[in-house]
Amino acid sequence: MAPSYPTAYAPELVLKSPEFKILEEGVVPQRNPNQNIAAAYAPGAQLHLIEKPIPKAREGEVVLHVRATGICGSDCHFWKHGRIGDTMVVRDVCGAGHESSGEVYEVGPGVEGLKKGDRVAIEAGLPCGECEECRVGRYNACKDVVFFSTPPYHGLLTRYHAHPASWVHCLPDNISFEEGALLEPLAVALAGIERANLRLGDSLLICGAGPIGLVSLLAARAAGATPIIITDIAQSRLDFAKKLVPEVKTILVERGVKPEDVATQIKDAAGLSTGVHVALECTGVESSVQTAIYSSKFGGVVFVIGVGKDFQNLPLMHCSVNEIDLKFQYRYANQYPKAIRLVAGGLIDLKPLVTHRFTLENAVQAFETAVDPSSGAIKCQILDDTL
């Protein structure tokens, strides 16, 4: 078990810390390696650039120069809506970002096996290491977790960040910083595939061709799923999925069509009148979850990865009489080493997913692009090479 990083250990990360200032709105700062800037969301659907002190490495820590950070749907959700669920609420300015990679800038006392300049992926969730969930290895369920970018903790979308050495993962030379940042969404997809018990030769439905759906597509192909069907309401995203995995079958979901009818299209495309073995639902949208259920065969698995509204109407009796297992996912655990092996070994190619790149100083523009459907963005990343 990795050393713990309890909430009490990180008081300076709490929102109400006075040790940051909001930079002037609408002004893109000059690139300055001595300035630790970050992107942060705030109440009222506001997004700011802020400046923070450059951290010093404490016992067991490394200070990282964050080189690449992807914008996740949850980052955008906190920005636009201020909350995910009942407890994660933006009450003040809070730094964004949890899909990151970087290089070691400073090594703290007691750290072994890492040196300045080492390239690493950053696992954003730091569990306590003491609770029952942590002891059995399901640390994603830790109630005392510090998860960077989830209020009240600042995120990784910053130039310099202090992190426990136990929770960074060294990158081999053939994985770039951009790919290193994409290991976080890949960890989400791998956790879903593992918990859904997807097996070689299983038929698979993926609902949603956003970043998580596309990463799940790449991982499912590597796992040997066939046939694979992917759905979305945007033809452009389905076209992107087809370029990633030419053999995937795509279904454009038209608004207003009943989930049962969409499910019929899916079964026809798969050539499976009884339905698919596994459905990975990556949108959280109620009608899409319903579609996944109606598309499943007797004894199938519907695995919900997407984040939707708190209460939904689902055909539970259909699940009952068809013995469909409805499962859910919360983040991930123990997936980074596997993700690194898959990418380094060439089984999963993440590079095409990054469609838009921005400097750290233009992070606000990156967020605006990420939420603009007309931009065609799949994954926006913020890159920093000031040193």
Side-chain angles (χ1 to χ4, degrees):
M1 179 65 65
S4 63
Y5 193 88
T7 302
Y9 184 58
E12 76 281 2
L13 300 174
V14 177
L15 282 175
K16 298 185 181 300
S17 168
E19 295 186 4
F20 66 84
K21 67 177 181 180
I22 297 176
L23 301 182
E24 184 177 352
E25 296 294 324
V27 176
V28 177
Q30 295 294 315
R31 305 187 77 184
N32 180 357
N34 297 315
Q35 185 182 35
N36 191 23
I37 62 174
Y41 23 65
Q46 298 183 71
L47 195 66
H48 304 292
L49 287 182
I50 64 174
E51 183 177 0
K52 305 186 296 182
I54 297 176
K56 295 292 293 181
R58 299 176 294 187
E59 181 78 23
E61 285 185 338
V62 288
V63 172
L64 303 170
H65 174 204
V66 181
R67 294 292 302 276
T69 300
I71 297 177
C72 175
S74 63
D75 293 317
C76 296
H77 203 87
F78 276 129
W79 168 32
K80 290 294 187 180
H81 304 286
R83 67 187 304 135
I84 297 177
D86 294 330
T87 58
M88 306 174 189
V89 182
V90 176
R91 296 189 178 91
D92 205 337
V93 178
C94 181
H98 56 267
E99 299 178 2
S100 297
S101 65
E103 59 187 320
V104 176
Y105 179 74
E106 179 188 350
V107 178
V111 174
E112 297 180 358
L114 289 171
K115 64 183 184 303
K116 183 177 175 66
D118 281 350
R119 302 164 62 257
V120 298
I122 311 168
E123 187 163 354
L126 311 177
C128 76
E130 302 295 332
C131 65
E132 178 181 353
E133 289 80 5
C134 285
R135 290 198 302 272
V136 299
R138 301 188 71 176
Y139 60 81
N140 55 317
C142 175
K143 299 299 187 293
D144 290 322
V145 67
V146 171
F147 199 94
F148 292 106
S149 83
T150 296
Y153 302 106
H154 286 287
L156 305 178
L157 185 42
T158 184
R159 179 162 288 137
Y160 301 106
H161 169 75
H163 208 77
S166 300
W167 292 97
V168 301
H169 304 270
C170 288
L171 295 175
D173 292 340
N174 66 340
I175 295 184
S176 67
F177 287 120
E178 291 186 14
E179 293 169 286
L182 284 166
L183 293 174
E184 202 276 346
L186 178 55
V188 174
L190 293 178
I193 285 174
E194 184 176 295
R195 283 194 13 88
N197 196 29
L198 182 70
R199 297 168 298 184
L200 183 70
D202 278 353
S203 54
L204 174 68
L205 167 65
I206 299 173
C207 297
I212 293 297
L214 294 172
V215 174
S216 297
L217 171 62
L218 292 170
R221 178 181 62 175
T226 187
I228 305 175
I229 304 91
I230 191 166
T231 67
D232 204 277
I233 60 173
Q235 185 63 49
S236 60
R237 293 203 165 191
L238 294 175
D239 294 341
F240 193 94
K242 196 74 172 177
K243 289 179 181 178
L244 278 182
V245 179
E247 64 268 27
V248 71
K249 302 177 187 298
T250 62
I251 299 290
L252 179 66
V253 179
E254 298 180 6
R255 298 183 186 276
V257 178
K258 293 181 179 179
E260 299 96 316
D261 295 334
V262 179
T264 298
Q265 296 178 50
I266 291 166
K267 293 176 184 178
D268 290 344
L272 298 168
S273 60
T274 57
V276 298
H277 291 85
V278 177
L280 298 178
E281 208 300 309
C282 300
T283 73
V285 175
E286 181 179 286
S287 60
S288 185
V289 179
Q290 294 172 355
T291 296
I293 291 171
Y294 288 125
S295 300
S296 297
K297 64 177 298 181
F298 188 96
V301 175
V302 174
F303 196 88
V304 181
I305 300 175
V307 176
K309 62 183 182 180
D310 290 351
F311 295 92
Q312 301 192 17
N313 294 308
L314 301 177
L316 292 185
M317 286 309 301
H318 180 89
C319 291
S320 176
V321 299
N322 288 281
E323 291 190 1
I324 294 171
D325 293 337
L326 185 58
K327 296 184 175 182
F328 298 87
Q329 178 173 335
Y330 184 64
R331 294 176 179 158
Y332 48 83
N334 310 303
Q335 298 298 326
Y336 264 80
K338 183 197 305 182
I340 290 171
R341 292 195 301 270
L342 287 167
V343 176
L347 291 173
I348 293 178
D349 182 9
L350 298 174
K351 293 187 289 292
L353 296 175
V354 182
T355 55
H356 293 68
R357 298 166 176 84
F358 301 84
T359 64
L360 182 56
E361 290 79 8
N362 286 286
V364 172
Q365 180 186 353
F367 271 84
E368 292 169 346
T369 302
V371 298
D372 180 6
S374 68
S375 71
I378 298 296
K379 178 60 68 174
C380 294
Q381 279 195 351
I382 292 91
L383 309 176
D384 188 60
D385 59 355
T386 58
L387 301 185

